[in-house]
Amino acid sequence: MLSDEVRQMLIQTAQAARKWAYAPYSGYAVGAALLTTSGRVYDGVNVENAAYPTGTCAERVAVFKAISEGEREFEAIAVVTVNGGSPCGSCRQVLAEFGLETSVIVADEEGRIVLETDVAGLLPGAFRPTDLKV
Ligand SMILES: [Zn+2]
């Protein structure tokens, strides 16, 4: 269970990152903050592209930053949008790769929590690495 301090720190980090979102097409800025079990925090923003499908989400940017620096285990992720929009299916799958117990906090731009769950709650029946071992 996350402490209130950690929860607030992650929301504030995601809120602060949000200003760097590159969202000229949707105008829907997203910030994310990922806490690893080693205690580091990686932020991320959505990065859109004129060739729409090549853009990516804030959650995946945060996860990929962490992975590219050797992290593999995550404690929690906070996601902040204008209205508390929920992570998309692709991000849910990417999070599920690294653990179903990762806490997920979704907040609006005022920092109000609109959803608090874990990855298992976001993506029931996720396809997992163990499913490949037949
Ligand atoms: Zn996404």
Side-chain angles (χ1 to χ4, degrees), residues 56-60 87-92:
T56 195
C57 303
E59 300 92 316
R60 277 180 282 164
C88 79
S90 294
C91 289
R92 293 173 191 218

Side-chain angles (χ1 to χ4, degrees), residues 4-69:
D4 286 343
E5 290 76 17
V6 169
R7 195 180 283 112
Q8 285 310 311
M9 176 274 293
L10 288 173
I11 291 170
Q12 286 166 10
T13 301
Q15 270 175 323
R18 198 170 160 256
K19 70 174 174 290
W20 299 117
Y22 181 74
Y25 308 106
S26 72
Y28 195 79
V30 184
L34 178 70
L35 173 64
T36 67
T37 54
S38 68
R40 293 189 65 185
V41 176
Y42 294 84
D43 62 13
V45 298
N46 51 330
V47 182
E48 296 182 348
N49 192 282
Y52 286 10
T54 57
T56 195
C57 303
E59 300 92 316
R60 277 180 282 164
V61 169
V63 169
F64 296 162
K65 281 169 77 172
I67 294 299
S68 73
E69 295 195 20

Side-chain angles (χ1 to χ4, degrees), residues 45-122:
V45 298
N46 51 330
V47 182
E48 296 182 348
N49 192 282
Y52 286 10
T54 57
T56 195
C57 303
E59 300 92 316
R60 277 180 282 164
V61 169
V63 169
F64 296 162
K65 281 169 77 172
I67 294 299
S68 73
E69 295 195 20
E71 302 286 353
R72 293 293 185 271
E73 295 179 9
F74 306 140
E75 192 80 34
I77 186 167
V79 183
V80 174
T81 67
V82 63
N83 59 352
S86 200
C88 79
S90 294
C91 289
R92 293 173 191 218
Q93 183 63 42
V94 165
L95 287 166
E97 178 75 14
F98 301 102
L100 298 175
E101 297 81 29
T102 303
S103 295
V104 179
I105 303 155
V106 179
D108 68 14
E109 65 181 346
E110 306 297 332
R112 286 183 293 251
I113 296 172
V114 298
L115 174 68
E116 187 161 8
T117 182
D118 58 16
V119 173
L122 274 187

